[in-house]
């Protein structure tokens, strides 16, 4: 159950200058990250957090290699991070 963490707590942008990705951290009892590619093309996103649990994801797999997340068109995820 992450409903409380997703709604309440502090909100901090992650790489707010990325031209294709909207990403932020929500911190309450858990620390959650939301990462969304709003483009119809692939893009890469540097992930400086270790993913702990993935709660929502609109693709069947996650393309993560050496802290670089390869996002496909309109890929979004909600995950807990350490």
């Amino acid at each position: 159950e992450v409903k409380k963490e997703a709604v309440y707590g502090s909100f901090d942008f992650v790489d707010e200058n990325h031209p294709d990705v909207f990403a932020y951290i929500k911190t309450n009892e858990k620390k959650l990250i939301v990462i969304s590619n709003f483009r119809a093309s692939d893009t890469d996103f540097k992930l400086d957090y270790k993913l702990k649990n993935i709660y929502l994801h609109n693709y069947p797999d996650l393309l993560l290699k050496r802290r670089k997340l390869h996002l496909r068109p309109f890929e979004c995820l909600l995950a807990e991070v350490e």
Side-chain angles (χ1 to χ4, degrees):
E1 174 79 22
V2 294
K3 186 177 181 179
K4 180 179 169 184
E5 282 79 12
V7 175
Y8 302 105
S10 65
F11 172 96
D12 296 296
F13 284 109
V14 177
D15 193 3
E16 61 188 287
N17 295 317
H18 195 291
D20 303 317
V21 176
F22 180 72
Y24 61 91
I25 293 281
K26 285 290 287 189
T27 305
N28 197 343
E29 292 176 18
K30 295 180 182 179
K31 185 182 267 190
L32 302 177
I33 191 165
V34 175
I35 304 170
S36 301
N37 177 13
F38 285 116
R39 302 283 186 217
S41 57
D42 291 16
T43 191
D44 290 322
F45 183 77
K46 184 181 175 200
L47 186 60
D48 292 327
Y49 298 89
K50 183 178 179 185
L51 298 179
K52 191 173 176 181
N53 294 309
I54 297 174
Y55 295 109
L56 295 170
H57 188 218
N58 62 335
Y59 276 84
D61 58 346
L62 192 66
L63 303 177
L64 178 63
K65 189 173 184 178
R66 295 190 193 108
R67 301 231 180 229
K68 186 166 92 175
L69 182 60
H70 183 79
L71 296 166
R72 292 155 286 194
F74 306 107
E75 185 169 0
C76 300
L77 70 102
L78 167 67
E80 183 179 1
V81 294
E82 291 183 355

